[in-house]
Each structure stands twice: as structure tokens, then as C-alpha cells.
Amino acid sequence: MDGDDLKYLLREAFDSQVLNHGDFNLVYGQPSGAGNPWTIGYRRHPLELLLCPVDLEALPGLREDASIATVALGNVATLADTGTGYQVETVTGFRTWFEVSGAPRVPLPENLRDLLAAPRQEPDADSLVLEQESDAEDFHQFMSHFMDTLDSYYDE
């Protein structure tokens, strides 16, 4: 398994949960603190962010109770750049902090290590680096646009 294989599994998990999945770009986000990582879908029209929890131990299957948090202009309460990531809160009380980096190190639970085509001899075979430099850059631009759009409502 390499980063592209993991991206494929994450895309499959997202697509199976989101009806109009083709409208979204995806990035992998790591929580700031404990909790499952996120597959984050985002689109500019309409301006929307979908946070899908990823149970890496359930891949390539899915958790039955996976709930997607939708963040749009109509329900966002707080959207902030923390310097190392983002804080998101909706009017319904959903709140999370996460980071999106260009090369996150993703822990590989045993079920994903078992999917390896050939045994890896590297000392860090229990994780892999997910290359998403251009996707992360695009996501950060999206978040800046989202925050600027939100701020413009308060400037009027």
C-alpha cells in the first residue's frame, strides 16, 4: 500500500457516504487532539465543507454510524485559522479542530498493513506519508476564501 492506495480508500469511503461526491475536492485532516481523522470534502459553489470521520481500522469498509458534519455559510458559527490548523464550529454545537498538511504521516492499523502487496522493511511500516501538497495548498486557499466570505457578511 502506498499513499495513492490510501487516497483511493479514503475517496471510496467519502463517495459512498455523499450523494453528490463528484462535486468535492478531498484532503486528509488530522484532529488536533484525540479522535479519528477526517476526510474533508470541500467545494466553492456552493461554498461548503464536509467533514467525514475516518475510522482507519474499518477501511476498506465503513463504520455504520459515521456522521458527516456539514459546514456552510448558513450554519457556520466559528471558522478560524489557528496558525497550525483550523477551528470549526456550527450553530448546532458541532466543534472540531484539525490540521491539513501537505505530507501527513498516517498511522496504518493492522488491517491496512495486511493490504500491502509486499512486506515493507522500513522501520516505520506502521505508518505512511500521504502526499497531498497541491491538495493541501488548494484547501488552504479555499479556507481563506471561506473565512473572507464569512467576514464580508459582518462588514456590511
Side-chain angles (χ1 to χ4, degrees), residues 56-69:
L56 294 172
E57 292 183 5
L59 289 177
L62 292 175
R63 275 190 355 211
E64 299 268 334
D65 64 343
S67 57
I68 297 171

Side-chain angles (χ1 to χ4, degrees), residues 55-90:
D55 182 353
L56 294 172
E57 292 183 5
L59 289 177
L62 292 175
R63 275 190 355 211
E64 299 268 334
D65 64 343
S67 57
I68 297 171
T70 302
V71 181
L73 289 172
N75 75 340
V76 66
T78 303
L79 191 59
D81 185 336
T82 65
T84 60
Y86 300 95
Q87 175 187 349
V88 175
E89 185 174 1
T90 65

Side-chain angles (χ1 to χ4, degrees), residues 83-105:
T84 60
Y86 300 95
Q87 175 187 349
V88 175
E89 185 174 1
T90 65
V91 296
T92 61
F94 170 80
R95 181 183 312 171
T96 189
W97 294 263
F98 62 87
E99 297 178 8
V100 173
S101 69
R105 180 161 291 283

Side-chain angles (χ1 to χ4, degrees), residues 6-15 17-18 24-31 36-42 49-56 59 62 67-69 98 100 130 132 139:
L6 181 57
K7 283 181 184 180
Y8 178 78
L9 291 175
L10 294 171
R11 171 56 82 176
E12 272 189 335
F14 182 86
D15 290 356
Q17 297 176 75
V18 176
F24 291 88
N25 295 318
L26 296 185
V27 291
Y28 175 86
Q30 296 180 314
N36 283 331
W38 300 101
T39 297
I40 302 170
Y42 63 98
L49 183 68
L50 299 181
L51 300 163
C52 300
V54 176
D55 182 353
L56 294 172
L59 289 177
L62 292 175
S67 57
I68 297 171
F98 62 87
V100 173
L130 184 64
Q132 61 174 15
F139 178 74

